[in-house]
Amino acid sequence: MTRLLSLPFLGVFLVLTSFSYAEEVDRAKVDDALPLKEDTYRLVFVRMEDQLFRKAGDYEAFCKQNGDRPRSQNRKEVTAVLKQKAAGSWKQVEELVKKLEKEGGVRGPRRFWIVNGFACVAKPKAIKELAQHESVSFVYLDRFARLVLRKSRPMGKTQASAMKTLFELWKKRPATLDLKNAKIPWNLEGIKAPEVWRKEKAFGRGVTVAVIDSGILPTPSLAHALWKNPKESFNGKDDDENGLIDDVFGYDFISGVGFVGETNRMMSHGSSCAGIIAGRPSPKSKWLTGVAPEAELMLLKGSFDLRVLEYLLDQGADLVSMSFMIVGRELGHLRGLYRNAFEHLSASGVLSMGGAGNFGAGPRAQSAGKQIGLPKDVPCVVAVAGVSKDLAPISFSSKGPCFWENVAFFSDHTKENPLGKPDLTAFPTGYPMWTHPPSRLTKARGWREISAEEGASLVVGPGGNSFSGPHGVGVAALVWSVNPEMNPWEVHALLEETAVDLGPKGRDFRTGAGLLNALAAVKAARK
């Protein structure tokens, strides 16, 4: 008999005071960064009380209680629970929201379910009324929200033509992987990915990686790796009726179009990361850059947009690769909202990963405890630091620990009990990456082209822990290709258990658990 989803105890947020009770309750449920006296609109996120995980520790309790259940079952049931909770809470608060809209206190409410709540612009009086509602747990200052969200629209002629060209490249992908003639860069050898291919016959097949980045260049090695929405085609219509037009290979939630090509003319960050995760062998030069060269890539744009997380979960992604991070900026309680989202995402079967950052030294250096920022400072998100080819430390690589203090619902890692970060280590530079041909500026930085290819170039020179993170994503894809029912927190633990220790013995704040070891991880996953 299938065991039902086991949920942790969800506590109740109580505030006691001996004076001015109503006023204190309002303030306790409202972000202290929100002014309540000025009669101006503020971007806010209203978090509802009925969450799957309400506070620190609930996610960990869930993992213990549901670790013996297959990932597919957790995914199906958790996703359903998240949506049910959001629908139920909206019914409770809908009448109040409509009233406040009529009065002009609230504008443009947008509902979410990855965290049960809604975003809107609201005036102080409306914020107070929302906070007083029994179904509301907290009102955040939404520091990442955009005042105007573009509605989905067809692409322009130039973008549509570019996407159709990419689609034609995608259709020409080879039926089998040619390893015999492939050239393997040293960074893949360094984490033992080729040994996994040869000895374990694991290539990442069946695993979908959502890449939240800048998009890709139209080169065969990347086009052949793309995931395709089976219900969508490039025709200017919303074929699958999900509210998005032409989301064939993914979607740009910033611009509101299905164009997922690169727009930066200097450096294609998205192409480099995508190539490290799942780049296929080049038809021209035979370079194979991908750790998991049979995984598929879902391309997304819109960092810190909760719609992106909901989309990738609905579309069946297994992993999410993220190069974005916030450091040197006060986020206050809002950190907790995103921790809530990523914990829900993990419980739903998706592992989130990315580079630990480049803030350890130099002009962008941050102080201790602030070098790894959101979302890589979330406990269930894997942060990957960097070392050189000879495994020597790299000064710019961000170091831990991380702290969670004075964050509503999530103040569990104090300076006396810090969160150990980074989690793992890989290589941030020195190997071929897919990007634009070097410019005069990048040539001056030492970048060199090793192969000019159709639609892009293979270039040695770009550097940063943005490129360490995709190594971890690729290894996780290899693991899931041999054991797809492992839960995200189990894969996270496995990668750490099988890593090669670096530096001082044991886990440390520079290299985490150590260098990724794809062969050991895949072997352990088979047991």
Side-chain angles (χ1 to χ4, degrees), residues 177 221-222 225 273-282 287-294 297 434:
L177 187 67
S221 293
L222 301 181
C273 291
I276 295 167
I277 297 166
R280 292 349 189 211
S282 160
W287 279 104
L288 193 169
T289 63
V291 176
E294 287 189 351
L297 304 171
W434 289 107

Side-chain angles (χ1 to χ4, degrees), residues 256-309:
V257 296
F259 180 76
V260 290
E262 179 62 77
T263 57
N264 188 298
R265 297 182 181 275
M266 180 72 71
M267 164 68 186
S268 180
H269 194 283
S271 295
S272 296
C273 291
I276 295 167
I277 297 166
R280 292 349 189 211
S282 160
K284 177 184 176 181
S285 65
K286 309 304 178 185
W287 279 104
L288 193 169
T289 63
V291 176
E294 287 189 351
E296 295 186 338
L297 304 171
M298 178 189 300
L299 305 179
L300 298 167
K301 299 182 184 182
S303 57
F304 293 108
D305 191 327
L306 295 179
R307 295 176 300 167
V308 174
L309 302 186

Side-chain angles (χ1 to χ4, degrees), residues 330-376:
E330 178 56 49
L331 299 179
H333 296 298
L334 192 65
R335 292 173 66 202
L337 176 67
Y338 284 87
R339 176 166 165 181
N340 215 167
F342 282 103
E343 289 182 347
H344 284 164
L345 193 66
S346 178
S348 303
V350 179
L351 181 60
S352 305
M353 308 181 76
N358 312 308
F359 303 97
R364 297 197 296 168
Q366 296 289 316
S367 58
K370 295 185 178 181
Q371 295 180 17
I372 301 175
L374 194 72
K376 315 302 173 49

Side-chain angles (χ1 to χ4, degrees), residues 347-428:
S348 303
V350 179
L351 181 60
S352 305
M353 308 181 76
N358 312 308
F359 303 97
R364 297 197 296 168
Q366 296 289 316
S367 58
K370 295 185 178 181
Q371 295 180 17
I372 301 175
L374 194 72
K376 315 302 173 49
D377 61 354
V378 173
C380 69
V381 175
V382 181
V384 186
V387 290
S388 63
K389 183 178 181 179
D390 62 1
L391 305 184
I394 290 181
S395 62
F396 67 71
S397 185
S398 289
K399 297 177 281 295
C402 294
F403 307 112
W404 284 82
E405 296 180 295
N406 302 316
V407 178
F409 311 104
F410 294 99
S411 295
D412 54 341
H413 289 287
T414 63
K415 288 182 173 58
E416 292 73 33
N417 178 37
L419 174 63
K421 288 280 180 175
D423 301 281
L424 292 156
T425 302
F427 304 112

Side-chain angles (χ1 to χ4, degrees), residues 23-24 28 45 67 69 77 133 187 196 204 232 235 392 406 457:
E23 182 181 344
E24 288 301 308
F45 188 98
R69 302 167 75 252
E77 294 183 15
H133 198 282
N187 58 306
V196 174
E232 195 78 15
N235 57 10
N406 302 316
S457 290

